[in-house]
Amino acid sequence: MLRLPAFEHLRAESVRDAAGMLADHGGTARLLAGGTDLLAKMKRRQVMPDALVGIGHLAPLREVRVAPSGAAELGAAVTLAEALADRRLAADQPGYLEAVGVVSSPALRNAGTIGGNLCVDTRCNYNDMTEEWRHAVGYCLKTGCGERCQVAASSPRCWAIFSSDTAPMAIALGATVVVWGAEGERELPLGTLYADDGKAHLQLGPAEILTALRLPARRGWRVAYEKLRRRSAVDFPLAGAAVALELDGDVVAACRLVLGAVASHPVELHDVAQALTGRRLDDEAIEEAATAGARLAKPLDNSDLNYVWRKRMVKVILERALRRAAGADRGRLR
Amino acid sequence: MRPPPPWAGRRLGTEPGDGDALSDGFQVVGKALPRLDALGKVTGATRYADDLSWPGTLACVLLRSPHPHARIVAVDTAAAAATKGVVAVLTGADLPVRYGAIATSQDEAALASDKVRYVGEPVVAVAAVDEVTAREATKKIAVDYEVLAPVSSIEQALLAPADEPIHEGTKGNIHRLAALEFGDVDEGFAVADVVREDVFFYEGSNHLAMEEHSATAIFADGQLTLWSSTQAPHNLHRVLAKVLDLPMTRVRVVATPHGGGFGGKVDPAAHEVVVSKLAVLTGRPVKCTLSREEVFYNHRGRHPALMWVRTGAARDGQITAMHFRVALDGGALASLGAATTYYTGALQPATYDIPAYRFEACRVFTNKAPCGPKRGHGTPQPRFALEIHLDKLAEDLGMDPVALRRCNYVRPQSRTVNWLRITSCGIEEVTEKVLAASGFATRSRRVGHGQGFAVSAYLCGAGFPMYPSQLPHSEVGLKVDRGGVTVFCGATDIGQGSDTVLATVVAEELGLDRADVRVVTADTGLTPVDLGSYSSRVTFMAGNAAIDAARKIRTLLLEEAARTSGLLAHELRVGDGRFGPLSFEQAVEAAEERHGALSASGSYAPPPGISGEFRGSAVGPGPAYTYSAAVVDLDADPTTGEVLVHKVWVAHDIGRLLNPVLVRGQMDGNVYMALAEALMESQTYRKDLLHHPSVLEYKTPLATDMPAIEHLYVETIDPEGPYGAKEVGQGPFLPVVPAVVSAIHDALGVWVDEVPVTPEKILRALDARDRGALGRAGPKRFPAVPFPPCIKVEPPHAATARV
Ligand SMILES: Cc1cc2nc3c(=O)[nH]c(=O)nc-3n(C[C@H](O)[C@H](O)[C@H](O)COP(=O)(O)OP(=O)(O)OC[C@H]3O[C@@H](n4cnc5c(N)ncnc54)[C@H](O)[C@@H]3O)c2cc1C
């Protein structure tokens, strides 16, 4: 069995307290929410924080609020299972819950939080390995003393993949997040939380805490999240396609498309969405959008299955998500 | 030649007491009853190897090689040894004696000394007061390696070695070559109307038992005791005596309850040898539990196999000749690979009546974790190739693939071209049942939906042991007295339920309830020898030995009952805790009064004459064969290449159903594991490192991926099996893999001649077809192998072919 390294566990009394603890440790402490991502990485010695600051119990982070309009605010420490069980969210934020529902397995959804899912570390099968394995391969840019990227040897950057299921959908829905830091609270569009760098994918300071996810009212919008994965549970996405659009008759009035697990950050397809807006959502428009969108996905050989196949599938799932949003239901096999 | 001993293949009859008393048929056998250990398993009460601990137990951690192939120049353990809390450090120099699972392949060292041959090979062992201390100390060990070029593939292994070969004394990197010919194959091809050739590849995979290996050793009062999750405690006992230079009388191996074996715990493992040595040196209990990644390094799993097969047939479908070639990637060690090599060719003629058969096999060494025995040992790969090849041959002949197979089926009571003795044989019945239940002939036809059919054969226990000997393969002791009934047997319950089977047959013979029979197994200090849980041998062999022992006590008790009642034994009824007028307890007391202590022993070895007499003839023969057929129903998505299996029908010729609950469980496990190999599992390498050394990355189907399974039983009541029973641990695995691939062809019209079938391979085959090429994905060619000239074996004459 892989064992956890030694660390100090700190129990914060408030968000302010937690931020203080993070600041005191100057970057060597980490927030611990559900721990489903962090603890596994610690067992593999990918991250070795001196201290973990527990925030899962903080009442303000555990609330779900849904306004009469359908707009919702979820505290960062709400578990994925709690979000799924919330009837108000089921009625008013079905797109978000669709993505939440395909995260991993029931056991992990019971522990994992919605905030942890947005902040989840990037993944790479050259890096998500034990210390011994990484030693044998010669380490990489992301952790350890590696001098090069194992998947793209000549590249100066890390290509680890951002594999959250909920982030692409939340971005497609126009979500914002609330971040608490030394200067107080700030609200930012979720998309801007992410940077295109597998090694440092979050634009968060070392003492900043994501406290809430805000989902705007999207009643009447058409939403769909298509997840490509090998098995019917547990697996991270091999690619994800999130679609949120508003139709005016059969013409697209507003639209956001986001791909997941094809890069170090969620890839928002601005131009493709723009090209769709004002158009009739017919077979031809969907096909064109899917083709154009898939062009922006550049999977590498650092995840499961053949990467050429994954690239080809991006078009398929984007097309399927669009078709589903358009009402021409065409589900995948699983 | 000495006459065979009485226990070799003795027929004990197919009903309780072999009809020695009045009978209402079976009382326990055949009933759907839960396993005796079920509650402990589901409540967590069962104590597995890693649950055991003694005060003062030292933790052992192994430092493993980071290189696939390197010479060890120097090992400096001084700093580790000097670390506070470290009690002992071992290197290869401390364990110089080589060992191996089979007598002819003694090429393993518990710790590498001259060089390392695969990533993960153990080099140094540290024993310390706790695991953290031991692990930290391994980081202070300096090993100076001179890196050598690794051999990464079958093709590369067949070339003249660029560097030094992986093992000394081998021809290049070839471990084994075999070439056998039965009958006149050239003539068979010459008279054929149609001849077809195909090439296939079957990827390697790990057993993926849920329980990782664990072992604890104690050396006290001159006796070494090892508790380990081993499938073959007797073999391990022999290996430890050899490596530690202790007499067999000073070593005891206890196999703990298993969280799965599947062949992964048959070979003696490095950590078992190391903790034993450390216990002897330190006088303290020493324990080592492998991590999942270490289990992948220890491996001994399915061999990757490249195969080429050529078959000739007459217009009517009669096979006239077959030529089968295989090249196995053995990884870095021999393991049971010599047997694996022959197994890849042995059972083709056990399903189909092939009049002339040539078999050429080669096993190579590569710098990868060693391959070995995994469920189906060497037969799933050729079964996959053979069944798909026959589907294609049927297409060439314009024949229905089921009809082609049927006109070539072996017959009961016959002798195959390679001298295997077939007795009971339900191949027709399993075919009939599975076709009827699945509606295969009238299946719906739409693009993306398909069904596939395949059949197979497997043996009920290896006819020959892993070391040459004339001794029993299974021995049972039975103690019966005022205090109750205890059965002792070396057999290991690896989760298949063999303890329950032993209790069942003893209860049946003695007219008792299963709960009245205590079972003590798999402890070489307490239990008579059984060779181990492998090759589907335990129910057949230990079951027969247990009946043999129980029958002797039954006879004594019947005598007492007859004497008391003045009736003949044949007039008495045994069962429900009674022997005629006497209760079981009264009968026992009367017998004890007359004879003193009551105990009986039983033995079993396969009968003579079940094999031919040629080099390699020891692999393949068993005392009986089971037959299985499967139909798989699935959807395959032509856009993504994804496959969703809806349902699997498996029909199995079990001989006799001793307990439907156990049989069903084995069939489920077989279907799961076969689907895993057909669609997902692959122990592959990238940059000479394991691609998937964790259970998140190494994909196997989840509970939510499992299709519906319909279990169909055929009872052929084997004349030599315990009450006519055969095996179910491995047989039903075999037809499922080809049935999946055949169903994909049925759905999409393309062949994927390589498992696991991944979505990408399906799309590759579809793309090829769309380009106007052959709609196929798979290996292009079989490599050039320096096979020796075939040993020509005269097939049995028509007269001797009937047995
Ligand atoms: C086997 C397995 C399968 C998985 N499958 C999926 C999947 O299919 N889809 C998917 O999306 N994820 C998957 N995951 C990842 C993970 O379980 C989920 O993303 C989960 O939601 C993470 O939440 P958590 O609360 O457990 O995060 P934690 O592990 O507690 O934290 C994750 C990271 O985020 C940081 N963090 C946590 N909360 C905050 C906060 N409020 N502010 C700032 N930083 C914070 C932590 O410091 C840590 O670095 C899987 C994990 C495993 C082990």
Side-chain angles (χ1 to χ4, degrees):
Chain A
M1 198 206 296
L2 298 178
R3 313 255 180 211
L4 281 169
F7 61 87
E8 190 185 353
H9 181 255
L10 303 171
R11 193 180 152 92
E13 297 303 328
S14 63
V15 172
R16 178 187 299 274
D17 191 25
M21 289 170 169
L22 290 176
D24 289 349
H25 278 82
T28 62
R30 284 272 191 136
L31 287 175
L32 175 69
T36 60
D37 181 51
L38 182 60
L39 297 181
K41 300 230 169 194
M42 286 169 64
K43 285 184 172 191
R44 293 187 296 253
R45 306 294 187 267
Q46 291 168 266
V47 284
M48 302 265 277
D50 294 340
L52 295 185
V53 178
I55 53 167
H57 59 288
L58 295 178
L61 302 186
R62 310 256 317 116
E63 274 170 39
V64 177
R65 279 197 290 259
V66 181
S69 66
E73 180 172 325
L74 293 86
V78 170
T79 68
L80 297 164
E82 286 164 349
L84 269 181
D86 193 303
R87 295 233 180 108
R88 298 163 300 167
L89 291 175
D92 284 324
Q93 297 292 346
Y96 176 68
L97 285 203
E98 189 189 349
V100 172
V102 295
V103 171
S104 191
S105 64
L108 282 157
R109 289 197 296 268
N110 286 340
T113 64
I114 66 115
N117 194 279
L118 297 175
C119 297
V120 69
D121 201 357
T122 53
R123 301 180 51 76
C124 171
N125 65 17
Y126 280 100
N127 185 47
D128 293 310
M129 295 285 181
T130 60
E131 170 73 31
E132 290 77 11
W133 194 98
R134 283 180 289 127
H135 168 71
V137 83
Y139 297 101
C140 70
L141 292 176
K142 188 164 163 73
T143 50
C145 48
E147 275 151 25
R148 61 194 188 101
C149 170
Q150 293 288 349
V151 63
S154 55
S155 165
R157 57 160 288 190
C158 165
W159 289 97
I161 307 163
F162 183 65
S163 304
S164 160
D165 278 308
T166 69
M169 192 67 231
I171 294 170
L173 292 167
T176 58
V177 284
V178 182
V179 170
W180 214 98
E183 289 89 54
E185 224 172 59
R186 64 189 169 108
E187 181 175 357
L188 61 151
L190 176 58
T192 63
L193 181 66
Y194 302 106
D196 187 11
D197 180 354
K199 195 174 160 72
H201 70 295
L202 291 181
Q203 317 247 31
L204 277 185
E208 282 192 313
I209 300 171
L210 190 154
T211 54
L213 170 71
R214 290 187 180 150
L215 298 166
R218 285 289 184 257
R219 272 189 201 138
W221 279 53
R222 311 292 197 105
V223 290
Y225 179 66
E226 284 282 327
K227 174 176 182 174
L228 183 70
R229 61 175 157 183
R230 236 212 289 185
R231 302 178 294 185
S232 50
V234 176
D235 291 345
F236 280 92
L238 294 171
V243 172
L245 51 84
E246 196 177 21
L247 288 182
D248 181 3
D250 56 1
V251 171
V252 177
C255 164
R256 288 184 91 159
L257 310 173
V258 186
L259 298 177
V262 296
S264 298
H265 63 115
V267 176
E268 189 166 355
L269 306 173
H270 295 285
D271 295 350
V272 183
Q274 203 159 30
L276 263 187
T277 311
R279 262 187 92 168
R280 276 188 54 216
L281 197 55
D282 53 17
D283 284 356
E284 199 190 314
I286 288 175
E287 152 80 28
E288 271 176 36
T291 306
R295 250 184 240 127
L296 297 166
K298 300 209 164 38
L300 296 171
D301 186 19
N302 57 350
S303 176
D304 189 29
L305 287 173
N306 177 285
Y307 69 98
V308 180
W309 177 81
R310 276 192 274 128
K311 164 125 184 135
R312 185 163 164 181
M313 288 308 108
V314 172
K315 180 183 168 209
V316 176
I317 60 169
L318 185 52
E319 187 171 336
R320 285 179 178 179
L322 281 164
R323 290 185 68 83
R324 202 142 56 77
D329 203 347
R330 169 75 176 75
R332 283 174 3 94
L333 283 178
R334 57 174 73 128
Chain B
M1 226 180 62
R2 266 192 298 145
W7 32 262
R10 178 155 64 205
R11 298 186 179 204
L12 294 159
T14 54
E15 50 180 304
D18 197 15
D20 61 355
L22 284 181
S23 156
D24 311 325
F26 290 105
Q27 306 231 329
V28 191
V29 163
K31 305 242 151 57
L33 297 169
R35 287 166 50 147
L36 295 172
D37 57 353
L39 204 61
K41 292 263 166 81
V42 298
T43 58
T46 304
R47 282 163 62 76
Y48 295 95
D50 188 47
D51 295 322
L52 304 181
S53 80
W54 282 262
T57 300
L58 300 176
C60 167
V61 169
L62 298 168
L63 178 71
R64 294 172 180 270
S65 166
H67 302 295
H69 198 191
R71 212 170 278 121
I72 298 175
V73 180
V75 182
D76 183 355
T77 61
T83 304
K84 186 163 174 289
V86 169
V87 180
V89 178
L90 290 185
T91 66
D94 300 304
L95 283 163
V97 180
R98 299 202 164 242
Y99 60 90
I102 47 181
T104 48
S105 307
Q106 303 284 302
D107 68 345
E108 300 192 32
L111 298 170
S113 51
D114 51 344
K115 65 182 205 177
V116 288
R117 297 175 169 86
Y118 61 99
V119 172
E121 181 167 2
V123 180
V124 183
V126 177
V129 290
D130 57 39
E131 197 188 308
V132 172
T133 308
R135 197 168 299 283
E136 286 305 311
T138 61
K139 295 185 184 147
K140 300 183 190 164
I141 298 167
V143 185
D144 186 6
Y145 292 104
E146 180 192 333
V147 174
L148 302 169
V151 178
S152 309
S153 66
I154 293 172
E155 289 80 0
Q156 203 190 339
L158 289 166
L159 303 173
D163 235 310
E164 60 177 53
I166 296 168
H167 289 272
E168 276 167 30
T170 55
K171 204 167 138 238
N173 285 308
I174 294 176
H175 170 220
R176 279 282 166 147
L177 289 169
L180 293 166
E181 180 166 341
F182 307 90
D184 192 337
V185 172
D186 290 339
E187 171 64 21
F189 282 124
V191 302
D193 295 317
V194 175
V195 175
R196 146 157 221 120
E197 277 179 29
D198 287 295
V199 189
F200 299 94
F201 180 68
Y202 196 110
E203 188 55 90
S205 61
N206 188 261
H207 317 81
L208 213 70
M210 271 199 264
E211 178 205 21
E212 291 105 337
H213 304 50
S214 177
T216 304
I218 293 184
F219 187 66
D221 309 323
Q223 287 270 355
L224 173 76
T225 307
L226 179 78
W227 286 262
S228 180
S229 49
T230 173
Q231 292 179 242
H234 169 65
N235 218 32
L236 184 55
H237 185 175
R238 288 168 51 90
V239 165
L240 292 178
K242 177 187 173 189
V243 176
L244 303 179
D245 196 20
L246 288 169
M248 288 288 277
T249 50
R250 301 296 181 89
V251 179
R252 173 180 167 206
V253 176
V254 185
T256 49
H258 274 240
F262 313 113
K265 297 167 182 169
V266 170
D267 283 43
H271 69 282
E272 293 172 321
V273 173
V274 164
V275 294
S276 299
K277 177 76 179 179
L278 284 167
V280 172
L281 284 180
T282 62
R284 291 176 65 171
V286 185
K287 176 172 180 174
C288 182
T289 301
L290 303 189
S291 68
R292 178 59 60 183
E293 184 171 345
E294 289 179 294
V295 173
F296 282 115
Y297 294 137
N298 186 63
H299 195 41
R300 321 294 153 130
R302 181 84 65 225
H303 285 69
L306 247 172
M307 294 164 287
W308 172 91
V309 53
R310 179 166 196 243
T311 301
R315 274 267 145 261
D316 65 0
Q318 284 290 321
I319 294 173
T320 57
M322 183 180 290
H323 184 178
F324 204 96
R325 281 180 171 154
V326 57
L328 297 170
D329 184 343
L333 293 171
S335 178
L336 277 98
T340 318
T341 307
Y342 283 103
Y343 269 128
T344 58
L347 296 188
Q348 286 85 331
T351 26
Y352 303 111
D353 184 6
I354 305 165
Y357 179 53
R358 188 184 292 147
F359 162 61
E360 292 170 300
C362 165
R363 183 179 189 267
V364 298
F365 287 125
T366 54
N367 292 110
K368 303 182 199 169
C371 296
K374 180 182 172 186
R375 198 176 211 161
H377 195 185
T379 73
Q381 304 99 319
R383 178 59 50 191
F384 155 67
L386 176 60
E387 295 296 309
I388 299 304
H389 173 68
L390 290 182
D391 274 355
K392 297 184 185 193
L393 183 66
E395 227 169 67
D396 292 354
L397 286 162
M399 251 181 112
D400 171 59
V402 180
L404 168 69
R405 287 176 170 86
R406 278 181 138 163
C407 76
N408 289 290
Y409 276 174
V410 293
R411 308 252 174 275
Q413 307 299 328
S414 63
R415 195 57 93 166
T416 68
V417 73
N418 58 342
W419 287 87
L420 303 179
R421 183 198 66 160
I422 309 289
T423 52
S424 64
C425 165
I427 191 167
E428 263 299 338
E429 294 88 333
V430 293
T431 303
E432 197 57 57
K433 274 209 164 173
V434 87
L435 292 177
S438 62
F440 181 73
T442 55
R443 64 193 181 275
S444 81
R445 321 281 343 195
R446 66 180 156 78
V447 172
H449 173 255
Q451 285 193 356
F453 163 87
V455 285
S456 63
Y458 202 68
L459 60 148
C460 305
F464 296 87
M466 287 197 249
Y467 57 94
S469 118
Q470 302 294 322
L471 300 169
H473 290 216
S474 194
E475 300 175 345
V476 164
L478 191 60
K479 177 206 87 126
V480 181
D481 57 25
R482 285 154 276 182
V485 178
T486 309
V487 55
F488 298 88
C489 179
T492 310
D493 196 327
I494 58 170
Q496 84 280 45
S498 63
D499 284 0
T500 302
V501 168
L502 289 173
T504 300
V505 301
V506 171
E508 188 66 55
E509 285 293 314
L510 299 183
L512 297 172
D513 203 68
R514 296 183 311 168
D516 296 324
V517 181
R518 296 185 197 98
V519 182
V520 178
T521 51
D523 180 334
T524 68
L526 297 181
T527 58
V529 170
D530 176 272
L531 292 182
S533 282
Y534 59 88
S535 85
S536 281
R537 51 176 299 287
V538 182
T539 291
F540 205 95
M541 300 200 187
N544 265 326
I547 293 177
D548 187 18
R551 186 72 53 77
K552 291 169 186 164
I553 298 289
R554 176 184 169 108
T555 304
L556 285 183
L557 300 186
L558 260 178
E559 272 169 28
E560 291 307 325
R563 196 170 278 125
T564 314
S565 62
L567 294 169
L568 294 172
H570 284 94
E571 297 166 323
L572 298 171
R573 193 177 299 275
V574 177
D576 298 324
R578 301 198 68 81
F579 273 70
L582 303 184
S583 71
F584 175 78
E585 290 77 9
Q586 287 168 331
V588 168
E589 282 188 17
E592 234 186 307
E593 221 167 80
R594 184 175 314 279
H595 302 287
L598 297 183
S599 69
S601 65
S603 304
Y604 179 84
I610 59 171
S611 71
E613 309 252 332
F614 52 88
R615 190 178 149 84
S617 67
V619 177
Y625 297 86
T626 58
Y627 291 87
S628 315
V631 167
V632 170
D633 180 286
L634 53 75
D635 269 1
D637 186 328
T639 312
T640 63
E642 291 170 301
V643 171
L644 182 65
V645 179
H646 298 298
K647 184 159 181 179
V648 178
W649 291 261
V650 220
H652 184 63
D653 163 15
I654 182 71
R656 183 191 294 281
L657 276 168
L658 293 180
N659 182 344
V661 175
L662 296 192
V663 171
R664 195 187 155 100
Q666 287 297 305
M667 285 167 85
D668 286 347
N670 272 303
V671 169
Y672 146 72
M673 200 171 266
L675 292 176
E677 292 188 23
L679 295 168
M680 282 182 195
E681 288 195 20
S682 45
Q683 173 135 334
T684 48
Y685 294 76
R686 185 177 53 171
K687 302 196 183 185
D688 294 305
L689 287 172
L690 274 181
H691 204 147
H692 314 290
S694 84
V695 270
L696 177 57
E697 313 293 334
Y698 181 94
K699 304 293 182 195
T700 195
L702 303 167
T704 47
D705 295 312
M706 279 301 285
I709 300 172
E710 193 167 324
H711 315 75
L712 303 157
Y713 311 115
V714 168
E715 294 192 280
T716 47
I717 315 298
D718 187 78
E720 294 177 17
Y723 303 127
K726 297 201 275 189
E727 70 84 43
V728 64
Q730 311 187 76
F733 178 106
L734 300 166
V736 177
V737 178
V740 167
V741 176
S742 183
I744 290 168
H745 176 257
D746 197 42
L748 299 176
V750 292
W751 286 113
V752 181
D753 292 338
E754 180 177 315
V755 291
V757 177
T758 57
E760 177 249 338
K761 289 177 193 170
I762 290 182
L763 292 194
R764 222 186 317 135
L766 287 168
D767 287 352
R769 187 183 61 186
D770 292 347
R771 281 196 314 268
L774 196 62
R776 171 186 187 267
K780 299 246 162 9
R781 65 190 68 81
F782 188 83
V785 178
F787 290 118
C790 283
I791 298 175
K792 302 237 183 210
V793 180
E794 195 61 34
H797 293 297
T800 47
R802 304 284 310 169
V803 295

